[in-house]
Amino acid sequence: MTTPNVPPPDVRPPRPRPSRPRRAVPLRYRVPWKKIVVYTLAAFLVLYLVLPFYWIFAMSFMREVDAISVPPNWIPPHPTLDNYLSFLRPDESQALVGGRAIRETPFALGNSMIVASATALLNLVLAVPAAYSFSRLRFTGGRLLLIGYLITRMVPSIAIIIPFYLMIRSMGLLDTYWALILSYLTFSLPVTIWVLKDFFRAVPRELEDAARVDRCGWFRTMWSVFLPVAAPGLVAAAVFSFMTAWSEFMFALFMTSTEAAKTIPVVAANFATDMNTQFTLMAAAGVVAVVPPLILVLIFQRLIVQGMAAGSVKG
């Protein structure tokens, strides 16, 4: 007996039900989470950078009892200019703890200005020919020299301060401007050569060729054509070396001992003595110390931004 051939049942997969289109949220009702996160992080970053300086600035207008009160006063309850006037009347402040530091502050500001300006100027005088050579000439060992410059910058300052002190003492330069200038050049010169080398490479060679066609010598070409084009990079490098020399503390503490060469970071630290600490006077000295670099940055702000932006792209 044979079974009849029964056709298999027509089994078809069920058709998927068409999903209902999700209703798009109107653009005006969407929460801009990305902007919220970015602005929140930016606000925290600004507070992190600005609040310490604001705290010092506000404290410089307080009396000592208001500065050490708990909870702290973010706004001076009894504003006073006595802390700043103390620097103008040092003889009346001898009785105060830190009176010696008050007397030395004007001299320290002048010393810091001389040392930082000389460091920035010598830094450019030495770094420009070196950076030009690395950017325009190809010679054996050039790459190794650049790496060597970079390695010297990676050595911690504390590791070389004793040999530096002995060398400066053997030359009879302790407690002089030259002791600090020579020390600071070792920090800033390698970085300046690296920055200017990348910046000089971006200056077209055609400018120099055109100047030579007009019978300009090398010095005239550099002074009248090349350096004006590279002015943003030069200003950025000079400001960097000026700020490095202005704020350096450890070498200045070792190399100087009198008001003839003490710089403002060393004198500001002297407001803290074994007997007491004048927080308000220290804050006023800190604000006074910030003013010259701040003015310098504001004057050359446009060139500094151009130089840093160009260096970051071309480097």
Side-chain angles (χ1 to χ4, degrees):
M1 184 177 181
T2 59
T3 55
N5 293 330
V6 179
D10 186 11
V11 179
R12 297 180 179 178
R15 290 184 177 180
R17 293 183 177 180
S19 59
R20 298 177 62 184
R22 298 179 61 181
R23 190 175 181 182
V25 179
L27 188 60
R28 58 182 176 177
Y29 295 130
R30 291 182 184 176
V31 179
W33 291 110
K34 186 177 179 180
K35 286 186 178 179
I36 292 175
V37 172
V38 170
Y39 282 114
T40 303
L41 292 177
F44 276 110
L45 182 61
V46 170
L47 291 176
Y48 176 77
L49 295 175
V50 173
L51 269 185
F53 181 72
Y54 170 75
W55 172 242
I56 292 177
F57 182 74
M59 190 188 295
S60 67
F61 292 99
M62 295 182 191
R63 300 179 303 176
E64 195 68 24
V65 64
D66 296 329
I68 60 176
S69 65
V70 179
N73 296 305
W74 290 97
I75 299 175
H78 306 93
T80 177
L81 293 174
D82 289 344
N83 299 315
Y84 291 98
L85 295 177
S86 298
F87 298 118
L88 301 177
R89 301 188 300 243
D91 295 337
E92 299 177 9
S93 307
Q94 296 297 320
L96 296 175
V97 177
R100 181 183 175 187
I102 294 174
R103 182 174 51 83
E104 292 178 341
T105 296
F107 300 99
L109 283 172
N111 295 338
S112 291
M113 183 63 70
I114 293 173
V115 170
S117 301
T119 302
L121 182 61
L122 282 178
N123 201 44
L124 287 183
V125 170
L126 297 176
V128 166
Y132 181 85
S133 301
F134 283 115
S135 65
R136 288 292 192 257
L137 306 177
R138 291 182 179 274
F139 54 92
T140 305
R143 187 70 180 173
L144 288 177
L145 275 177
L146 283 174
I147 295 175
Y149 292 157
L150 200 60
I151 291 175
T152 59
R153 190 62 184 90
M154 294 177 181
V155 177
S157 303
I158 191 67
I160 60 173
I161 192 167
I162 298 300
F164 239 101
Y165 177 84
L166 296 177
M167 186 176 65
I168 294 295
R169 189 183 66 176
S170 66
M171 291 189 293
L173 296 178
L174 283 179
D175 202 26
T176 64
Y177 293 148
W178 281 109
L180 300 178
I181 293 170
L182 293 177
S183 304
Y184 297 159
L185 281 177
T186 61
F187 307 148
S188 55
L189 192 57
V191 179
T192 305
I193 292 175
W194 267 89
V195 171
L196 291 183
K197 179 257 303 177
D198 291 330
F199 201 89
F200 287 172
R201 280 181 180 170
V203 177
R205 288 178 179 270
E206 289 77 8
L207 292 176
E208 298 174 69
D209 296 337
R212 291 193 183 97
V213 170
D214 292 338
R215 298 183 179 180
C216 290
W218 186 83
F219 287 102
R220 179 71 182 277
T221 303
M222 288 291 292
W223 183 258
S224 302
V225 178
F226 192 87
L227 293 182
V229 175
L234 297 175
V235 172
V239 171
F240 163 76
S241 56
F242 183 92
M243 300 289 283
T244 301
W246 183 272
S247 59
E248 202 282 333
F249 172 73
M250 192 167 57
F251 272 77
L253 182 64
F254 271 72
M255 303 291 180
T256 62
S257 57
T258 66
E259 63 186 26
K262 275 185 179 179
T263 54
I264 189 64
V266 178
V267 172
N270 290 338
F271 284 104
T273 65
D274 294 336
M275 300 176 60
N276 197 355
T277 301
Q278 292 286 334
F279 294 104
T280 54
L281 290 175
M282 188 183 296
V287 173
V288 171
V290 168
V291 171
L294 186 63
I295 294 175
L296 185 69
V297 171
L298 291 177
I299 293 175
F300 297 105
Q301 180 182 11
R302 184 175 57 84
L303 292 176
I304 294 171
V305 172
Q306 288 180 2
M308 295 180 67
S312 63
V313 172
K314 295 159 189 167

